[in-house]
Amino acid sequence: MQAEKSTRPRQVWQWADVRRRKLGMWAYTLNRVSGLGLVLYLFIHLAVLRLLAGGPAAWDNFLALVRSPLFLVLDVVLLAGLLIHGLNGIRLTITGLGIGVPAHKTWFLALMAAALILSAAGAIAIFTM
Amino acid sequence: MAIQVPIKVFRYRPGTAPHFERYQVTVPDDATVIDVIEGVWAEHDRNFMFRHACHHASCGTCAVRLNGYERLPCIVPVTEALAGRQELVVEPLRNFPLVGDLVVDVAGFFQKQAASGLVITRAAEATLSGQPFAHSELFSQAGALEERAYNRFENCIECGICISACPTMAATDKFWGPAALAGIRRATLTTGDCQEKAALLALADSEQGVWRCHSAFECTESCPQDVDPGGAIMSLRREIVGRKVKHLFGAG
Amino acid sequence: MAAPHVIVIGAGSTGAATAHDLALRGLRVTVLERGEIANCTTGRNHCLLHSGGRYCVKDQESAIECIDENLILRRIMPDAMELNGGLFVALNEADLAFREKFIEGCEQCHIPYREVPVKRALEMEPFLNPGLLAAVQVPDGVFEPFRFCLAFLATARHNGAVVRTYTEVTELARAGQFITGVKVLDHRTGKTQEIGADLVVNATGPWAGRIAEMGGVEVPVAPTAGVMVTVDQRLCNLVINRMDKPADGDIVVPQRLTSIIGTTSWAILDPDQIEIPKAHIEKMIQKGRELIPAIQRRVTRGVGAAARPLIRKANTDEREVSRTFECFDHQRDGVDGFVTISGGKTTTARAMAEKAADVVCAKLGQRAECATRTTPLLSYRLFYN
């Protein structure tokens, strides 16, 4: 099998183009965007942990910062991202094994509803604790 | 009754910048979009390049993106395509090398299609020896009613619509793609030969096989023939995983 | 010395089969096609692999050609065929009266047939008009026209032929009374080019007259349009024919998930501009329903028409014109190195090619026998390898 001639314009970003696409494509793109977000978070997290090397003072300053409402909102975003990506991952694992494939859209809607509810519950917990 | 159809068409030649051109084409009100595309050629520009053959969704040549969606223009009525719009917008399929205007190079696609080895019927091959057909043999080729399902053309017309709709194909053209994987799935169902089946599954399990699919299911959504390549890919995965699990425990 | 170079104009079934035959006989072949392969007459035909039953009463010459070629094609091209068979059904007393003539015709044309009891016919085809009076089965089949051509061209390419699509012949090059090649416009690049050849074959179906004119000769080819109405349901497994002489809307051909009802016949002037009369579409639905009552207008999937190349004979109605083919060596018109092959049907494309290639080889002094009867064709997909 030869590879196709690569005379076509590269359209890699098309994976993120959900215009005129169906729910499956939204799920696909949402999973990628949330995945990239979580990877970004991981690196930020590692950078933040480096503050521990600066001793208790540096860490306390940082903790004061993250208790501000803006950071609490970001916490909710993080939680939502985790839920979306994790629950979607469960759907992909199940359909990927050939189970419930025709119902993949229902799976997606149900799990995303669960993600929404859990994120809301999380938000309440975060802001009231 | 004849109607005037405004159409915006993708124009391209190698070495020039792609652009759109607008035309007005006159067609009967019950025409399909392929008639409008043909009208651009017939009424306006005999250099206009497009693909078409059967006009009833069997050859798979005419697939384009119509108003942003992958469609077979030969089975979309003009009135339906124009509903709520100022003009038709016609572009070539994505994820194929461009040749000119609406024509894309399908060679790589057909090479992948050939890999599944799927053919329509092998019934006649036994008689390639040159022996004349016995009458009874001719009629038995028509097959008993219940066996006739396999003496048929595949539902897949190899139009390339699923390739254009697939986001993975946008990132790499090495991926086997929905149509070829659906073909492989179909071939695994009909082959009686264990070795052939194992080879087909190995193909599906290869680096560019079913595991590159990321479940957007756009292929299944856009397929004009209800082939359901997305479902086929998931079924192949189940079979591959099932075999591996069995191998792990059963064959030890 | 290099083998003679032959240009074949047209990549419909005739051109594709001719290219295959010539390449197999060791000639260098270039196929030139102005658009996509099979983009017109062949592409939009009825997809019927004729058993000859349709012509066995009125046009036995065609009927015999059809059954001969049917038996050859099912050997050499299994992967572009559905070998599902066909039924001729009688729906009224007039049809029933035709039955004897039909069976006699099948016997005269050595078309295998078997009578199917009405009850069995309805078991085989549950959507058939339940009022049918008799049924006879013949070895009709269905092909996919685009892939039919690809299979021939794949094999031709394997044997060295060059196939150039989107390459339109604009002029024939001439030196004295010899055609020495063609001038083409390559639509991909917009460039014109002259291609030399020892001989040019005009295999352009209903456009044969136009190409012949470029060579300063005439061919008696009458472009005759026919409409096909495709419905979005596969309502039969076998090809269903009306047991009568060929008439409008007397056949339903199942293909993939659809059924194609055909056809009508009317003379046209320009095969590039065919206007489909609405009445013809309605008539197809109405006549189709006589065979299969479940056919409905609302599930129309596609309507197409293309021109057939009929060989004109003086004073005949187009339905009465033989569907057979002819090869014209234009040497007799004072132009050498130029051959036209036209008429015929896709089912007889291989035989047309054989006839044309015989003429070409005789003219070029190429000694080679036709081998296409027994040479299996490559898979159509290998055209793209």
Side-chain angles (χ1 to χ4, degrees), chain C residues 100-131:
Chain C
E100 209 166 300
K101 270 190 251 170
F102 176 76
I103 287 176
E104 203 180 285
C106 284
E107 273 169 5
Q108 283 162 353
C109 302
H110 64 88
I111 299 165
Y113 69 92
R114 67 174 176 194
E115 296 196 63
V116 180
V118 168
K119 190 164 162 262
R120 174 72 187 132
L122 285 169
E123 274 167 24
M124 290 161 79
E125 295 295 352
F127 291 103
L128 208 52
N129 186 337

Short mmCIF file of all heavy atoms in Angstrom, two decimals, chain C residues 100-131:
data_model
loop_
_atom_site.label_atom_id
_atom_site.label_comp_id
_atom_site.label_asym_id
_atom_site.label_seq_id
_atom_site.Cartn_x
_atom_site.Cartn_y
_atom_site.Cartn_z
N GLU C 100 -45.77 -18.08 -26.03
CA GLU C 100 -45.30 -19.13 -26.93
C GLU C 100 -44.19 -18.60 -27.84
O GLU C 100 -43.16 -19.25 -28.03
CB GLU C 100 -46.48 -19.61 -27.77
CG GLU C 100 -46.34 -21.06 -28.19
CD GLU C 100 -47.67 -21.57 -28.70
OE1 GLU C 100 -48.67 -21.56 -27.93
OE2 GLU C 100 -47.72 -21.93 -29.88
N LYS C 101 -44.42 -17.39 -28.38
CA LYS C 101 -43.42 -16.78 -29.25
C LYS C 101 -42.13 -16.53 -28.48
O LYS C 101 -41.03 -16.71 -29.01
CB LYS C 101 -43.94 -15.42 -29.77
CG LYS C 101 -44.72 -15.53 -31.07
CD LYS C 101 -44.99 -14.15 -31.64
CE LYS C 101 -46.45 -13.81 -31.52
NZ LYS C 101 -46.80 -12.44 -31.82
N PHE C 102 -42.30 -16.14 -27.22
CA PHE C 102 -41.14 -15.83 -26.39
C PHE C 102 -40.28 -17.08 -26.19
O PHE C 102 -39.06 -17.07 -26.37
CB PHE C 102 -41.60 -15.27 -25.04
CG PHE C 102 -40.49 -15.01 -24.07
CD1 PHE C 102 -39.67 -13.91 -24.23
CD2 PHE C 102 -40.23 -15.89 -23.02
CE1 PHE C 102 -38.62 -13.68 -23.35
CE2 PHE C 102 -39.19 -15.67 -22.14
CZ PHE C 102 -38.38 -14.56 -22.31
N ILE C 103 -40.97 -18.18 -25.84
CA ILE C 103 -40.24 -19.42 -25.58
C ILE C 103 -39.58 -19.94 -26.86
O ILE C 103 -38.43 -20.38 -26.84
CB ILE C 103 -41.19 -20.45 -24.94
CG1 ILE C 103 -41.44 -20.01 -23.49
CG2 ILE C 103 -40.65 -21.86 -25.02
CD1 ILE C 103 -42.43 -20.85 -22.73
N GLU C 104 -40.31 -19.79 -27.95
CA GLU C 104 -39.76 -20.18 -29.25
C GLU C 104 -38.50 -19.35 -29.54
O GLU C 104 -37.48 -19.88 -29.98
CB GLU C 104 -40.83 -19.90 -30.31
CG GLU C 104 -40.70 -20.70 -31.58
CD GLU C 104 -41.84 -20.31 -32.53
OE1 GLU C 104 -42.99 -20.74 -32.28
OE2 GLU C 104 -41.59 -19.54 -33.47
N GLY C 105 -38.62 -18.06 -29.25
CA GLY C 105 -37.48 -17.15 -29.47
C GLY C 105 -36.29 -17.55 -28.62
O GLY C 105 -35.15 -17.57 -29.10
N CYS C 106 -36.54 -17.88 -27.35
CA CYS C 106 -35.45 -18.31 -26.47
C CYS C 106 -34.76 -19.54 -27.06
O CYS C 106 -33.53 -19.63 -27.06
CB CYS C 106 -35.99 -18.64 -25.08
SG CYS C 106 -36.37 -17.20 -24.09
N GLU C 107 -35.57 -20.46 -27.56
CA GLU C 107 -34.98 -21.68 -28.12
C GLU C 107 -34.16 -21.38 -29.37
O GLU C 107 -33.05 -21.89 -29.52
CB GLU C 107 -36.08 -22.71 -28.41
CG GLU C 107 -36.35 -23.54 -27.16
CD GLU C 107 -37.59 -24.40 -27.24
OE1 GLU C 107 -38.21 -24.45 -28.32
OE2 GLU C 107 -37.92 -25.01 -26.21
N GLN C 108 -34.73 -20.52 -30.22
CA GLN C 108 -34.01 -20.19 -31.46
C GLN C 108 -32.69 -19.49 -31.16
O GLN C 108 -31.72 -19.64 -31.89
CB GLN C 108 -34.88 -19.31 -32.36
CG GLN C 108 -35.95 -20.12 -33.07
CD GLN C 108 -37.08 -19.25 -33.59
OE1 GLN C 108 -37.13 -18.05 -33.32
NE2 GLN C 108 -37.99 -19.86 -34.34
N CYS C 109 -32.67 -18.71 -30.09
CA CYS C 109 -31.46 -17.95 -29.76
C CYS C 109 -30.61 -18.65 -28.70
O CYS C 109 -29.74 -18.03 -28.09
CB CYS C 109 -31.83 -16.55 -29.28
SG CYS C 109 -32.79 -15.63 -30.46
N HIS C 110 -30.89 -19.91 -28.47
CA HIS C 110 -30.24 -20.73 -27.43
C HIS C 110 -30.10 -20.00 -26.10
O HIS C 110 -29.07 -20.02 -25.43
CB HIS C 110 -28.90 -21.32 -27.92
CG HIS C 110 -27.82 -20.31 -28.23
ND1 HIS C 110 -26.98 -19.85 -27.27
CD2 HIS C 110 -27.46 -19.69 -29.37
CE1 HIS C 110 -26.14 -18.97 -27.80
NE2 HIS C 110 -26.43 -18.87 -29.08
N ILE C 111 -31.17 -19.31 -25.70
CA ILE C 111 -31.20 -18.68 -24.37
C ILE C 111 -31.79 -19.70 -23.39
O ILE C 111 -32.91 -20.15 -23.59
CB ILE C 111 -32.07 -17.41 -24.38
CG1 ILE C 111 -31.49 -16.39 -25.36
CG2 ILE C 111 -32.19 -16.82 -22.97
CD1 ILE C 111 -32.45 -15.27 -25.70
N PRO C 112 -31.03 -20.08 -22.36
CA PRO C 112 -31.59 -21.03 -21.40
C PRO C 112 -32.81 -20.41 -20.71
O PRO C 112 -32.78 -19.22 -20.39
CB PRO C 112 -30.46 -21.22 -20.38
CG PRO C 112 -29.25 -20.64 -21.00
CD PRO C 112 -29.70 -19.62 -21.99
N TYR C 113 -33.86 -21.18 -20.53
CA TYR C 113 -35.03 -20.63 -19.85
C TYR C 113 -35.67 -21.74 -19.04
O TYR C 113 -35.42 -22.92 -19.29
CB TYR C 113 -36.05 -20.08 -20.86
CG TYR C 113 -36.71 -21.15 -21.69
CD1 TYR C 113 -37.93 -21.72 -21.30
CD2 TYR C 113 -36.11 -21.61 -22.86
CE1 TYR C 113 -38.52 -22.73 -22.04
CE2 TYR C 113 -36.70 -22.62 -23.61
CZ TYR C 113 -37.90 -23.16 -23.20
OH TYR C 113 -38.48 -24.17 -23.93
N ARG C 114 -36.46 -21.39 -18.06
CA ARG C 114 -37.29 -22.39 -17.41
C ARG C 114 -38.58 -21.72 -16.97
O ARG C 114 -38.57 -20.57 -16.52
CB ARG C 114 -36.59 -23.08 -16.25
CG ARG C 114 -36.30 -22.21 -15.07
CD ARG C 114 -35.73 -23.05 -13.94
NE ARG C 114 -35.34 -22.22 -12.82
CZ ARG C 114 -34.58 -22.65 -11.82
NH1 ARG C 114 -34.12 -23.87 -11.80
NH2 ARG C 114 -34.28 -21.85 -10.82
N GLU C 115 -39.65 -22.46 -17.15
CA GLU C 115 -40.94 -21.90 -16.76
C GLU C 115 -41.08 -22.03 -15.25
O GLU C 115 -40.73 -23.04 -14.66
CB GLU C 115 -42.06 -22.64 -17.50
CG GLU C 115 -41.93 -22.41 -19.00
CD GLU C 115 -43.18 -22.77 -19.75
OE1 GLU C 115 -44.21 -22.11 -19.50
OE2 GLU C 115 -43.13 -23.69 -20.56
N VAL C 116 -41.57 -20.96 -14.65
CA VAL C 116 -41.73 -20.94 -13.20
C VAL C 116 -43.22 -20.87 -12.89
O VAL C 116 -43.91 -19.97 -13.38
CB VAL C 116 -41.01 -19.71 -12.60
CG1 VAL C 116 -41.16 -19.68 -11.10
CG2 VAL C 116 -39.54 -19.70 -13.00
N PRO C 117 -43.74 -21.83 -12.11
CA PRO C 117 -45.16 -21.77 -11.76
C PRO C 117 -45.47 -20.45 -11.04
O PRO C 117 -44.62 -19.93 -10.31
CB PRO C 117 -45.36 -22.95 -10.80
CG PRO C 117 -44.19 -23.84 -11.02
CD PRO C 117 -43.07 -22.98 -11.49
N VAL C 118 -46.68 -19.94 -11.24
CA VAL C 118 -47.07 -18.64 -10.68
C VAL C 118 -46.83 -18.59 -9.17
O VAL C 118 -46.30 -17.62 -8.63
CB VAL C 118 -48.55 -18.35 -11.02
CG1 VAL C 118 -49.07 -17.17 -10.20
CG2 VAL C 118 -48.69 -18.06 -12.50
N LYS C 119 -47.19 -19.68 -8.48
CA LYS C 119 -47.05 -19.71 -7.02
C LYS C 119 -45.58 -19.58 -6.62
O LYS C 119 -45.23 -18.82 -5.71
CB LYS C 119 -47.63 -21.03 -6.51
CG LYS C 119 -47.77 -21.10 -5.02
CD LYS C 119 -48.69 -22.24 -4.60
CE LYS C 119 -48.45 -22.56 -3.13
NZ LYS C 119 -47.55 -23.69 -2.92
N ARG C 120 -44.74 -20.30 -7.33
CA ARG C 120 -43.30 -20.25 -7.04
C ARG C 120 -42.74 -18.85 -7.34
O ARG C 120 -41.92 -18.32 -6.60
CB ARG C 120 -42.59 -21.32 -7.88
CG ARG C 120 -41.08 -21.31 -7.81
CD ARG C 120 -40.55 -21.80 -6.47
NE ARG C 120 -39.11 -21.63 -6.38
CZ ARG C 120 -38.48 -21.10 -5.34
NH1 ARG C 120 -39.16 -20.71 -4.29
NH2 ARG C 120 -37.17 -20.99 -5.33
N ALA C 121 -43.22 -18.27 -8.45
CA ALA C 121 -42.75 -16.92 -8.82
C ALA C 121 -43.07 -15.93 -7.72
O ALA C 121 -42.25 -15.07 -7.39
CB ALA C 121 -43.39 -16.48 -10.14
N LEU C 122 -44.26 -16.06 -7.14
CA LEU C 122 -44.64 -15.14 -6.06
C LEU C 122 -43.87 -15.41 -4.77
O LEU C 122 -43.63 -14.50 -3.97
CB LEU C 122 -46.15 -15.20 -5.81
CG LEU C 122 -46.99 -14.50 -6.88
CD1 LEU C 122 -48.46 -14.83 -6.73
CD2 LEU C 122 -46.77 -13.00 -6.85
N GLU C 123 -43.45 -16.66 -4.59
CA GLU C 123 -42.57 -16.95 -3.44
C GLU C 123 -41.21 -16.31 -3.64
O GLU C 123 -40.63 -15.75 -2.72
CB GLU C 123 -42.35 -18.46 -3.31
CG GLU C 123 -43.42 -19.19 -2.52
CD GLU C 123 -43.29 -20.71 -2.71
OE1 GLU C 123 -42.18 -21.20 -3.06
OE2 GLU C 123 -44.31 -21.38 -2.55
N MET C 124 -40.72 -16.41 -4.89
CA MET C 124 -39.41 -15.83 -5.19
C MET C 124 -39.46 -14.31 -5.12
O MET C 124 -38.51 -13.67 -4.67
CB MET C 124 -38.96 -16.24 -6.60
CG MET C 124 -38.59 -17.69 -6.74
SD MET C 124 -38.60 -18.21 -8.47
CE MET C 124 -37.04 -17.56 -9.05
N GLU C 125 -40.56 -13.74 -5.59
CA GLU C 125 -40.70 -12.29 -5.67
C GLU C 125 -42.02 -11.85 -5.03
O GLU C 125 -43.02 -11.66 -5.71
CB GLU C 125 -40.66 -11.84 -7.14
CG GLU C 125 -39.34 -12.09 -7.83
CD GLU C 125 -38.19 -11.28 -7.25
OE1 GLU C 125 -38.45 -10.40 -6.40
OE2 GLU C 125 -37.05 -11.53 -7.63
N PRO C 126 -42.02 -11.69 -3.73
CA PRO C 126 -43.28 -11.40 -3.02
C PRO C 126 -43.95 -10.09 -3.44
O PRO C 126 -45.14 -9.94 -3.24
CB PRO C 126 -42.87 -11.34 -1.56
CG PRO C 126 -41.48 -11.82 -1.48
CD PRO C 126 -40.88 -11.81 -2.83
N PHE C 127 -43.18 -9.14 -4.03
CA PHE C 127 -43.78 -7.86 -4.39
C PHE C 127 -44.34 -7.82 -5.81
O PHE C 127 -44.88 -6.82 -6.26
CB PHE C 127 -42.77 -6.72 -4.22
CG PHE C 127 -42.42 -6.45 -2.80
CD1 PHE C 127 -41.22 -6.88 -2.26
CD2 PHE C 127 -43.33 -5.77 -1.98
CE1 PHE C 127 -40.91 -6.64 -0.94
CE2 PHE C 127 -43.02 -5.52 -0.66
CZ PHE C 127 -41.82 -5.96 -0.13
N LEU C 128 -44.17 -8.94 -6.51
CA LEU C 128 -44.66 -9.03 -7.88
C LEU C 128 -46.19 -8.88 -7.91
O LEU C 128 -46.87 -9.25 -6.96
CB LEU C 128 -44.28 -10.41 -8.43
CG LEU C 128 -44.05 -10.59 -9.92
CD1 LEU C 128 -43.05 -9.57 -10.44
CD2 LEU C 128 -43.52 -12.00 -10.16
N ASN C 129 -46.69 -8.33 -9.02
CA ASN C 129 -48.14 -8.22 -9.20
C ASN C 129 -48.79 -9.59 -8.98
O ASN C 129 -48.51 -10.53 -9.72
CB ASN C 129 -48.41 -7.72 -10.62
CG ASN C 129 -49.88 -7.43 -10.84
OD1 ASN C 129 -50.73 -7.98 -10.14
ND2 ASN C 129 -50.16 -6.58 -11.81
N PRO C 130 -49.63 -9.71 -7.97
CA PRO C 130 -50.19 -11.04 -7.64
C PRO C 130 -51.11 -11.57 -8.75
O PRO C 130 -51.42 -12.75 -8.75
CB PRO C 130 -50.96 -10.80 -6.34
CG PRO C 130 -51.14 -9.34 -6.25
CD PRO C 130 -50.08 -8.67 -7.04
N GLY C 131 -51.48 -10.70 -9.67
CA GLY C 131 -52.35 -11.14 -10.75
C GLY C 131 -51.61 -11.76 -11.92
O GLY C 131 -52.20 -11.98 -12.99
#
